[in-house]
Amino acid sequence: MILELDCGNSYIKWRLFSPVASSVPVSGRAIDIEQLLDQVATSAGRGLEKCRLVSVRSDSETDAIALRITSVFGLTVLRAMPATALGGVTNGYLEPGRLGLDRWLAMVAAFSLRRRACLVFDLGTAITVDLIATDGQHLGGFITPGVPLMRDQLFGHTRRIRYEGPAEGALLREEAPGRSTAQAVEAGCLKMVRSYIGAQMDAASTYLGSDFDVYATGGDALLVADLPGITCISDLVFRGLAIACP
């Protein structure tokens, strides 16, 4: 069994991957390394053979996570690293090492599916957009705040926009005009995300031509899953991690 880790800005997402069955028997997310260790120990028993990891955290944080995995489970940790090319995709950043590794792996995985032009959205703390031409050249992309950051900005810069509890997640499905502060904020954020994704899809033909695939991944990908032409694949980053660390 392979332990796969995606150390993002907010959570450490993890899953156990069985290469023999090509299946994922269990997955989860943790707020810190200690919670991760508890979750994995409960789920994996002694069946772990190796670990591969991608991280957008600082080098010191990532080193600490890798060291704890090694000390507790006795595993060598393979880490995805910046690259100028991988899996047929050429990094389009002027400084390739500055491209977020989660974005990079999602692009590599998306292109590997059909090896043709594609538009890749990752909807999480931030929303990233990346364009890959039919020859695998990354043409660049866009970064904007995701729903969590939109909420944080409203809470941090207004005095009377306040709400809490499960209303946030429960309300983020309805675009009708809100009749409470919570409803108004949630509907407004949802409209902004969906409008932005739609505009990016419309504009992409300028760079990719008329025939390209569109993929969405990340924690909030389901918010746009019903938009025409989008294929949601929740594990694009993990699929890319398997290409980077076979």
Side-chain angles (χ1 to χ4, degrees):
M1 200 74 71
I2 300 173
L3 173 61
E4 298 181 324
L5 303 178
D6 175 7
C7 305
N9 294 298
S10 302
Y11 298 97
I12 303 173
K13 296 175 283 292
W14 64 272
R15 73 180 192 177
L16 301 182
F17 178 74
S18 170
V20 175
S22 293
S23 63
V24 179
V26 64
S27 62
R29 69 178 188 178
I31 59 173
D32 57 32
I33 182 60
E34 297 308 321
Q35 186 179 62
L36 170 71
L37 295 173
D38 289 342
Q39 292 175 354
V40 173
T42 300
S43 302
R46 298 185 179 182
L48 294 177
E49 300 171 3
K50 61 182 70 174
C51 175
R52 51 194 179 206
L53 172 154
V54 58
S55 176
V56 298
R57 302 188 177 195
S58 68
D59 289 343
S60 60
E61 286 182 282
T62 304
D63 289 342
I65 292 170
L67 284 172
R68 289 290 282 143
I69 292 294
T70 298
S71 64
V72 172
F73 298 116
L75 301 175
T76 298
V77 179
L78 302 177
R79 291 164 60 169
M81 302 299 288
T84 56
L86 177 66
V89 179
T90 302
N91 193 321
Y93 258 31
L94 299 176
E95 297 178 72
R98 303 281 291 179
L99 177 64
L101 282 172
D102 51 352
R103 284 175 67 190
W104 175 235
L105 296 185
M107 282 190 279
V108 169
F111 185 75
S112 74
L113 294 172
R114 300 217 299 166
R115 301 191 75 84
R116 64 198 302 268
C118 54
L119 179 64
V120 183
F121 298 108
D122 192 336
L123 294 91
T125 303
I127 297 173
T128 61
V129 184
D130 286 288
L131 299 93
I132 302 95
T134 191
D135 63 355
Q137 178 64 51
H138 173 222
L139 304 180
F142 304 90
I143 304 173
T144 58
V147 171
L149 290 180
M150 292 184 201
R151 288 195 194 103
D152 287 348
Q153 285 298 302
L154 286 170
F155 293 167
H157 295 278
T158 59
R159 293 181 181 276
R160 298 182 65 87
I161 293 183
R162 295 289 184 274
Y163 58 91
E164 57 185 64
E168 294 184 21
L171 291 169
L172 194 57
R173 296 291 185 273
E174 178 59 61
E175 290 188 79
R179 301 186 66 184
S180 70
T181 297
Q183 290 174 347
V185 170
E186 295 301 306
C189 290
L190 180 59
K191 275 189 172 292
M192 288 189 70
V193 169
R194 289 169 63 87
S195 297
Y196 176 68
I197 296 301
Q200 288 286 355
M201 292 172 66
D202 290 341
S205 60
T206 302
Y207 307 96
L208 301 177
S210 60
D211 189 20
F212 57 91
D213 296 327
V214 182
Y215 300 103
T217 194
D220 282 337
L222 290 179
L223 300 181
V224 299
D226 62 322
L227 295 179
I230 288 185
T231 299
C232 281
I233 301 179
S234 61
D235 64 346
L236 270 184
V237 173
F238 283 127
R239 293 189 190 198
L241 180 59
I243 295 172
C245 301

